Amino acid sequence: MTSPDDSSAPRPPENTPDKGYAERCYRSAAGIGGGVLLLLIGAWLGGDAIVRGAGRTPWLTLAALLCGVPLVIAFTLRPAVWAGEDALRVRNPFRTITLPWASVAGVRAGYSSEVLAGGAKYQLWAIPVSLRQRKSAARRQARAASEDLTGTVSVGVSGFTRAPADQAIDDLRELAERNASRPEAQGEPEVRWAFELIVPSVVGLVLLVVLFAVA
């Protein structure tokens, strides 16, 4: 979902052609852009320190990069939400949660986007909530209502008066209600930890502690 006045809005749903059905994908454009920028800055500063640094500086830099790069990837590039006919797949910084629609008890957006399933609550990092976007959407809705001679907002206009995160949550809620009864949508939530990011970051942190300890 995109907003014409804020780059932090989740990206619009994308179709996946290799699936037997249209799979919606939500990601934060601002998160991706910020992550790429941080990685470029880290590569620039880290490369300079490794090449020109003396003593323990190159080793400290390598350990810091080993610890920090996975964290940047986890919190900026990794988060995504996929919604298909059978399940909702949530990829958060350190976990990937697969939720068959029948297990989804609710989807909501307060100060953060959340899905309730299997007696647990999971945040949707890829769909950030912006209070500024909500206020802007409320102003557009009020303006559209005041300009409507009938006193109600027309269908063609109302689609542009919702905050992107709220619109995304409405879409996911509709998919949950529509697909929960499908035989393929039955099952329990499954959680997989992103050890490919956790392990390098922990190793880098341990190396940093060791290097500082032997100073």
Side-chain angles (χ1 to χ4, degrees), residues 66-67 70-71 94 193-207:
L66 184 60
C67 178
L71 294 178
F94 298 114
W193 288 91
F195 291 108
E196 65 275 12
L197 296 174
I198 297 174
V199 173
S201 185
V202 172
V203 171
L205 179 61
V206 171
L207 289 175

Side-chain angles (χ1 to χ4, degrees), residues 39-82:
L39 291 176
L40 290 175
I41 293 175
W44 175 40
L45 297 178
D48 183 72
I50 292 172
V51 172
R52 301 185 181 183
R56 295 185 308 139
T57 299
W59 296 106
L60 287 171
T61 302
L62 285 172
L65 290 175
L66 184 60
C67 178
V69 168
L71 294 178
V72 171
I73 294 174
F75 285 97
T76 60
L77 304 183
R78 177 177 163 81
V81 172
W82 288 276

